Amino acid sequence: MAWEMKTDRPIYIQIVERLKMRIVSGEYPPGSKIPSVRDLAAEAGVNPNTMQKALGDLEREGLLHTQRTNGKTVTEDEQLIGKMLDSIAVEETEIYLTKLEGLGMDAGDGVNLVQRVAGSKSKYDTGEL
Amino acid sequence: MAWEMKTDRPIYIQIVERLKMRIVSGEYPPGSKIPSVRDLAAEAGVNPNTMQKALGDLEREGLLHTQRTNGKTVTEDEQLIGKMLDSIAVEETEIYLTKLEGLGMDAGDGVNLVQRVAGSKSKYDTGEL
Amino acid sequence: MAWEMKTDRPIYIQIVERLKMRIVSGEYPPGSKIPSVRDLAAEAGVNPNTMQKALGDLEREGLLHTQRTNGKTVTEDEQLIGKMLDSIAVEETEIYLTKLEGLGMDAGDGVNLVQRVAGSKSKYDTGEL
Amino acid sequence: MAWEMKTDRPIYIQIVERLKMRIVSGEYPPGSKIPSVRDLAAEAGVNPNTMQKALGDLEREGLLHTQRTNGKTVTEDEQLIGKMLDSIAVEETEIYLTKLEGLGMDAGDGVNLVQRVAGSKSKYDTGEL
DNA sequence: GTGGTCTAGACCACT
DNA sequence: GTGGTCTAGACCACA
């Protein structure tokens, strides 16, 4: 029932990442109210304190705001969310390019691969490397 | 001294992947002799049996051949190595695209990102998404 | 209690052969559950790891499938089992013909011998070659 | 340089079998002189006493005769040699049929197999089981 | 209780 | 010194 967590990194970090995903992907739209700490903790299968710590991180980054007595809401600063989205995407791209580099490939190969893989619905593609 | 291993997947699988990287990247060129089982085990910080199991996998895939009592050598079948390289690259690309998809992005965004990130040496780029 | 094992070939190879016999002969029918690794190891009088290695070979050949935490079952692919049966029979026949060849006999003599020996219940037959 | 001997059966028994093969196959023709005990022992890589014991067995079976001061010769009783040849062939055939029986096959299948395998020079045959 | 993985240490054949 | 095999014993996730 709990989220799948790796054991090799702090749990609260992994929670931060998952919640950040929900925000930048629009699952938690700008200005909307997110579930209570208690509910989120239950959903994640972690201690509420751990969830609280994760939410604190997101608030510090400006992605969440606390409405005093009315829970927490996602920021309405869509530009900030956009930057965050961009930042995550760039990071993933850097990881991807680093892996290609380890294979002796460059960004040009990466572009080809992305286009080729995206264009193939079938399991295998006859395309040359 | 030991290689960094995650705890969430079998060690020998991770060894297989790392050695496969060394082969397809040319660090262990076609036809060349690889270090002894014991040496590789020591380098990886694992039991020789674990390394042996990993090497058995690679041999079953045809990437390695055993020379009686004279160690193991990388296959000279460069076509096979090329296929393996392509296979790994495609797999990494699929992982990358899946992550982008989770961010609400598609392959076109991926191409843009790869080109943009590859063009920037600095850690961050001011470009908007 | 332990199986009779020759010392001139790896034990796990001999285990593979015996289990393969049980499968192709129908002693372990298609789709049926085979005894646990530990039980088979005990029956064969070998270490569970050795049995595991043998079972791994059979699984790689597609004759066995692993059911998560519920043991291993024989494949339901009767065609594959049939092929394996044929393959073993052909191999034994090649060995037989090679021996006859060493005696200066050919396949025709083999056919005669098989028919003659099969027709005699007693240990010796008075027929001339 | 020495003959290949299994470790699971007495060496002299294996020598007897090999020499018997040479006689029935005609490599040592009826009436011919066989090499000296010393030479045969050297060829086999065994102690001359072991070879002597083996030759004693063959003499007891009537396949060899000792010519007092002139070494040993193969019997000229071609009928005896023929019987021996037949006996060996029958024994091998019994072994073969026993193996087929273990696979759930009978002598008819054996005849088919012998004809099919003998008829195929190519590595694989498309014939049905 | 199941299969799977890993370690530690041993012995073997080959050269 | 090489790869290969085997044992003994331990721990893990899963259900």
Side-chain angles (χ1 to χ4, degrees), chain B residues 6-56:
Chain B
K6 308 294 183 183
T7 59
D8 57 349
R9 282 180 315 149
I11 292 180
Y12 82 91
I13 295 283
Q14 300 177 56
I15 292 175
V16 166
E17 289 170 354
R18 294 180 76 117
L19 292 180
K20 205 178 283 187
M21 287 282 292
R22 292 188 176 184
I23 293 174
V24 300
S25 72
E27 183 175 341
Y28 291 160
S32 67
K33 191 162 169 293
I34 67 171
S36 78
V37 177
R38 290 162 176 77
D39 286 354
L40 282 172
E43 181 193 346
V46 301
N47 186 284
N49 286 326
T50 303
M51 182 57 68
Q52 182 85 0
K53 185 171 184 179
L55 295 174

Side-chain angles (χ1 to χ4, degrees), chain A residues 64-116:
Chain A
L64 290 183
H65 294 307
T66 294
Q67 304 297 348
R68 203 48 72 181
T69 65
N70 197 21
K72 296 175 185 296
T73 59
V74 177
T75 179
E76 295 185 347
D77 182 349
E78 304 197 15
Q79 195 176 358
L80 174 62
I81 294 176
K83 267 190 184 170
M84 199 61 68
L85 170 59
D86 187 56
S87 161
I88 295 174
V90 166
E91 192 179 354
E92 291 296 347
T93 305
E94 283 169 346
I95 292 172
Y96 173 59
L97 287 177
T98 301
K99 283 180 179 169
L100 287 191
E101 195 176 352
L103 292 170
M105 305 174 90
D106 61 18
D109 297 320
V111 169
N112 289 338
L113 277 163
V114 168
Q115 289 171 334
R116 176 153 69 91

Side-chain angles (χ1 to χ4, degrees), chain D residues 54-71:
Chain D
L55 295 175
D57 270 29
L58 290 170
E59 197 155 353
R60 229 164 284 122
E61 292 194 63
L63 287 173
L64 289 183
H65 294 307
T66 296
Q67 306 296 348
R68 203 45 75 178
T69 65
N70 198 21

Side-chain angles (χ1 to χ4, degrees), chain C residues 10-12 47 49-50 69:
Chain C
I11 291 180
Y12 82 92
N47 187 284
N49 286 326
T50 303
T69 65

Side-chain angles (χ1 to χ4, degrees), chain D residues 14-94:
Chain D
Q14 299 178 57
I15 293 175
V16 165
E17 289 171 355
R18 295 181 77 117
L19 291 179
K20 204 178 284 186
M21 284 284 294
R22 291 187 174 184
I23 293 172
V24 300
S25 71
E27 183 175 342
Y28 291 163
S32 69
K33 188 161 169 293
I34 66 170
S36 73
V37 175
R38 202 183 321 266
D39 287 352
L40 282 172
E43 180 194 351
V46 302
N47 188 292
N49 290 326
T50 304
M51 182 56 70
Q52 186 69 33
K53 185 171 183 183
L55 295 175
D57 270 29
L58 290 170
E59 197 155 353
R60 229 164 284 122
E61 292 194 63
L63 287 173
L64 289 183
H65 294 307
T66 296
Q67 306 296 348
R68 203 45 75 178
T69 65
N70 198 21
K72 294 174 185 301
T73 59
V74 176
T75 180
E76 295 185 347
D77 182 348
E78 304 198 17
Q79 196 177 356
L80 174 63
I81 294 176
K83 265 189 186 172
M84 199 60 68
L85 170 60
D86 187 56
S87 161
I88 295 175
V90 167
E91 191 178 354
E92 291 297 346
T93 305
E94 283 169 347

Side-chain angles (χ1 to χ4, degrees), chain A residues 12-125:
Chain A
Y12 85 94
I13 294 282
Q14 299 178 57
I15 293 175
V16 165
E17 289 171 355
R18 293 182 76 118
L19 292 178
K20 203 179 284 187
M21 283 285 293
R22 291 188 174 184
I23 294 173
V24 300
S25 71
E27 183 174 341
Y28 291 164
S32 69
K33 188 160 168 295
I34 67 170
S36 74
V37 175
R38 201 182 323 264
D39 288 352
L40 282 173
E43 181 194 350
V46 301
N47 188 291
N49 290 326
T50 303
M51 182 56 70
Q52 186 69 33
K53 184 172 183 182
L55 294 174
D57 270 30
L58 290 170
E59 196 154 355
R60 230 164 286 121
E61 291 194 63
L63 286 173
L64 290 183
H65 294 307
T66 294
Q67 304 297 348
R68 203 48 72 181
T69 65
N70 197 21
K72 296 175 185 296
T73 59
V74 177
T75 179
E76 295 185 347
D77 182 349
E78 304 197 15
Q79 195 176 358
L80 174 62
I81 294 176
K83 267 190 184 170
M84 199 61 68
L85 170 59
D86 187 56
S87 161
I88 295 174
V90 166
E91 192 179 354
E92 291 296 347
T93 305
E94 283 169 346
I95 292 172
Y96 173 59
L97 287 177
T98 301
K99 283 180 179 169
L100 287 191
E101 195 176 352
L103 292 170
M105 305 174 90
D106 61 18
D109 297 320
V111 169
N112 289 338
L113 277 163
V114 168
Q115 289 171 334
R116 176 153 69 91
V117 172
S120 68
K121 308 273 186 190
S122 58
K123 197 148 189 181
Y124 293 108
D125 195 297

